Amino acid sequence: MRAIAQETLRALDVLVQQAGTHRGALLQLQIQLRALADRLVSNAEEQPVRGAVRIACAVFMAFVLQPAAGATYELVSQQEQALLAAIRGRSGRYMRFVSKSTESLARIGSQQLQQMLGGFGVGGSSSRCVLTLGASACLTELLCRTARETHFTLI
């Protein structure tokens, strides 16, 4: 499901990065983003996927469009290009943050999992077990990192 959310974010980011520079481009971008978000949500076939796509779109737009939130007509007409540049920059930063989040979560989680397992090395106790339900890129990375430092049985 994480991959679907990341694909959703990439589609939204592409739209932001390709936004025009003509007068009215900011309003057009906001309309296009909302229309794309609606299409992405309605194209998701299963309810859990639909929910993940809806959340990904909502969070992306809330963060990325923040510079334009509450902007008056006068401000937009005078500083539209600056607002568009700020939105493009925020979109890029958000995409970099999302791409690093799996690694960050796995690093922090691995340290905590090692502490919970008691830090036994390869020659240590074999009674340490980790029970998982489901799978994700973050979970796989977390378990791989932990396995490099601690011996445990994965169930």
Side-chain angles (χ1 to χ4, degrees):
M1 199 162 346
R2 180 175 169 77
I4 292 169
Q6 286 181 332
E7 288 300 317
T8 299
L9 295 175
R10 271 192 219 101
L12 294 169
D13 180 56
V14 166
L15 187 60
V16 168
Q17 299 307 327
Q18 294 177 347
T21 57
H22 59 281
R23 184 174 171 92
L26 181 59
L27 178 60
Q28 183 179 9
L29 174 62
Q30 290 174 332
I31 292 168
Q32 289 174 336
L33 278 172
R34 293 187 196 291
L36 177 58
D38 288 344
R39 258 194 328 273
L40 291 169
V41 169
S42 61
N43 286 345
E45 294 179 11
E46 299 174 4
Q47 181 56 37
V49 174
R50 197 173 305 122
V53 170
R54 182 177 290 119
I55 290 170
C57 290
V59 171
F60 178 89
M61 289 191 298
F63 179 79
V64 171
L65 295 176
Q66 188 179 14
T72 63
Y73 174 76
E74 291 80 20
L75 177 67
V76 171
S77 63
Q78 294 170 0
Q79 298 182 0
E80 185 171 24
Q81 295 309 310
L83 287 170
L84 282 168
I87 288 170
R88 283 188 191 100
R90 289 177 75 84
S91 181
R93 282 194 307 276
Y94 189 74
M95 294 305 292
R96 285 189 298 278
F97 170 77
V98 168
S99 69
K100 292 179 183 177
S101 66
T102 296
E103 181 182 324
S104 298
L105 287 171
R107 182 176 28 83
I108 293 166
S110 176
Q111 293 167 355
Q112 292 177 350
L113 184 56
Q114 286 177 36
Q115 289 173 353
M116 289 188 319
L117 291 171
F120 289 99
V122 175
S125 171
S126 63
S127 64
R128 301 294 181 178
C129 295
V130 175
L131 174 64
T132 63
L133 178 64
S136 70
C138 187
L139 177 62
T140 302
E141 179 66 23
L142 178 134
L143 292 172
C144 287
R145 280 178 176 263
T146 305
R148 288 184 204 121
E149 304 293 327
T150 305
H151 178 72
F152 61 92
T153 302
L154 181 61
I155 299 175

